[in-house]
Every structure is written in C-alpha cells, then in structure tokens.
Amino acid sequence: PRSMIASSTGRVSHGIASARRTPCSFTTSAKSVRAVKVLASSASPSSSSGNVLVVGSGGREHALAWKFSASPSVSTVFCAPGNAGTGVEDNIHNVKLNPSNHDQVIKFCKEKNIGFVLVGPEQPLVEGLVDALTSAGITAFGPSASAARLEGSKEFMKNLCRKYNIPTAAYEVFDNPEDAKAYVKQHGAPIVVKTSGLAAGKGVILCQTVDEATQAIDDMIVGQIFGSAGDTIVVEEFLTGEEASFFALIDGETCIPLVGAQDHKAVGEGDTGPNTGGMGSYSPAPVLTPAIIDQVMTDIVRPT
C-alpha cells in the first residue's frame, strides 16, 4: 500500500510499493468527497468571513469546492484556477491566480475577504504557499514546505523511511547515470526508476529489463524528459502485488484514518504501458482490509 497523509500541518505521501501517485482527475472525486465530508464539516472558515479559496484544477479540487459550496457556513467559493466543471457549479467562481505568486494569492484573499484557503496540488505546497498564507494571517489547510518535502522529494522521503525503519522498498539515490546503471546491472530487472522531484504523476517507470532501466536513467538524468525533477533519481526494488492509497488527517500529534482508494494509472488495457497522471479511481479499496489499515497506521502513518 501507498500511504498518503492529508493534514492541516502536512499533506504528505510516501511510497511503500513501486510508488504511483494518486491521480488528480475528475473521476477521483469519489474518494475526495469522503474526505471532504470530514473537512467541510469540521474545518469551516475560522474568521468572520465565509468565503473559501480552493487552489487547484483537478477532480480533487472540484470535489472539495463542491462540498464547501454546500456548507451553510460558506458564503462563496473561489477556485484558482479551477476547471470546466467548477466553472458551471452554483456558487463556485473560477479565478485566474498563479499559485506560485504568493503575493498575488495573498492580495486576492484580502480583497475577497477569504476566511479559509485549501491548497490541493503538490507544487504550490512544496513551494510554501501555506507558509506564506499563514504568515499573512490567512487560515490555510495544507502542509508547510518542510512537511511537503515528503511529496516533493522521493530522495528525502526514502531516506526518512530508512532512518526511522518505516517499511519501504530497497533503493538507492543517484545523480550520476553511470552509477545508477551499475546499480541496475547489479540488481537486475524488473526494477523501478523514479524522478526524485515532482513530475505530475508520470515520473515513475516500471522497467521489465535492464535495457529499459538503462534507457529510463538516460532519459531522466541526461535527456531531462521530466526537467529538473530528474536531476536526482531513485532506483528502487520492484514489488509485486496490489497497490492502494491510504488517507489520514493529522495535526502533528493525532492521526485520524479516512478511507482508501485504488487508481488506474497505466495508459494501456490490462495495466500495461507507461504511467499517466491518473485516469480515475474507485473507493473504498477492497484490498485495504481492517487488518491492513491497522498495520499501515502502526507501521507507516504514526512513525512518519
């Protein structure tokens, strides 16, 4: 299973199998809504304003905005930038904001009297949008930039797992392609090659042969097909079995489990071909039995 911990102090994830990101497409909203029911009912805007800003453009953000808009404690919901779906929802307004421009977002929040901001995508979280909003006195839900490193850097996440004996596939980290190729030749295939940085859910290549792994290494480090996300890569043990995502809310001390999901990643029929950013999901995930959920909470979530 892959653990993703969603939190007001840290929305983070770490891979336990050959990591594949949870998708951010419209069809992911089934799992999102379950989390949103908890969030929207308990995380109402803390100021006198009932205006909410949801940062992001995917299905996750659509589900969040939709649920917020149904809350009696919410006046108006803004999505930045939102999508075609949020654009036709009642009481949801798409706005053109650049989440990387923290001053612009803060100015908008003050102009529109935003009482609560929820940041969905990984990139603005890694860039510290929540830190900037918090420093400006605006209530925001999402991790600090420091906590978001668990999502933004596989190198950081894997090293943390190793340091604290959190179960994870055997791995090594490389920025030199020849060293990475030597590791692959030593361990053989199948094997997994990943960008350390964010690559929109596409930076994981499941290599069935040594030649495929060698090509993936060259593509990432030398060819820069994923840009700077591939400056450093993780070469990881290939684990077989079903993969699932698991979600929990944390505040730095308390962990509350939510629900699991499984997503459709590979582009071809029968789970073949390269990974996509996600093409839908279903929830709950039957593979996440109560016993496995207890194990994930004990061995993964709480130690993290």
Side-chain angles (χ1 to χ4, degrees), residues 4 82 103 113 144 179 250:
M4 176 175 281
D103 290 340
N113 196 23
S144 64
D179 291 342
I250 68 171

Side-chain angles (χ1 to χ4, degrees), residues 13-69:
S13 69
H14 57 85
I16 301 307
S18 48
R20 299 173 177 178
R21 277 188 354 94
T22 300
C24 185
S25 58
F26 180 75
T27 47
T28 64
S29 58
K31 67 184 175 189
S32 302
V33 169
R34 295 172 182 270
V36 177
K37 287 180 179 177
V38 177
L39 181 58
S41 63
S42 62
S44 300
S46 58
S47 75
S48 58
S49 169
N51 295 337
V52 171
L53 172 65
V54 176
V55 176
S57 62
R60 168 181 52 200
E61 288 77 35
H62 188 167
L64 290 162
W66 168 76
K67 192 60 182 179
F68 276 126
S69 70

Side-chain angles (χ1 to χ4, degrees), residues 7-222:
S7 163
S8 57
T9 56
R11 182 186 176 283
V12 301
S13 69
H14 57 85
I16 301 307
S18 48
R20 299 173 177 178
R21 277 188 354 94
T22 300
C24 185
S25 58
F26 180 75
T27 47
T28 64
S29 58
K31 67 184 175 189
S32 302
V33 169
R34 295 172 182 270
V36 177
K37 287 180 179 177
V38 177
L39 181 58
S41 63
S42 62
S44 300
S46 58
S47 75
S48 58
S49 169
N51 295 337
V52 171
L53 172 65
V54 176
V55 176
S57 62
R60 168 181 52 200
E61 288 77 35
H62 188 167
L64 290 162
W66 168 76
K67 192 60 182 179
F68 276 126
S69 70
S71 171
S73 63
V74 173
S75 300
T76 304
V77 178
F78 298 93
C79 283
N83 57 37
T86 56
V88 298
E89 294 280 7
D90 293 336
N91 202 34
I92 299 177
H93 306 277
N94 289 350
V95 293
K96 293 182 179 180
L97 292 176
N98 177 5
S100 296
N101 187 333
H102 297 172
D103 290 340
Q104 182 190 51
V105 176
I106 290 169
K107 180 181 178 182
F108 175 86
C109 290
K110 291 181 176 180
E111 288 177 348
K112 297 298 183 181
N113 196 23
I114 300 296
F116 187 80
V117 180
L118 188 142
V119 183
E122 292 84 353
Q123 192 65 47
L125 292 171
V126 169
E127 292 173 350
L129 178 56
V130 170
D131 303 73
L133 290 166
T134 301
S135 294
I138 299 166
T139 302
F141 184 92
S144 64
S146 179
R149 287 181 296 168
L150 283 163
E151 177 72 15
S153 170
K154 294 183 182 69
E155 176 184 14
F156 175 83
M157 178 274 295
K158 296 289 286 186
N159 289 341
L160 182 139
C161 288
R162 175 182 282 170
K163 180 178 180 180
Y164 293 103
N165 296 315
I166 299 168
T168 191
Y171 75 99
E172 289 297 338
V173 177
F174 301 95
D175 57 15
N176 181 293
E178 298 310 314
D179 291 342
K181 292 174 189 177
Y183 181 84
V184 167
K185 290 178 181 178
Q186 177 185 355
H187 291 272
I191 200 164
V192 183
V193 180
K194 308 176 180 182
T195 61
S196 178
L198 294 173
K202 302 175 184 178
V204 177
I205 300 179
L206 309 179
C207 305
Q208 300 301 319
T209 66
V210 169
D211 286 345
E212 287 182 13
T214 298
Q215 185 62 54
I217 291 165
D218 281 337
D219 287 344
M220 289 182 185
I221 300 179
V222 181

Side-chain angles (χ1 to χ4, degrees), residues 270-283:
D271 291 328
T272 58
N275 279 349
T276 67
M279 299 185 296
S281 68
Y282 52 92
S283 176

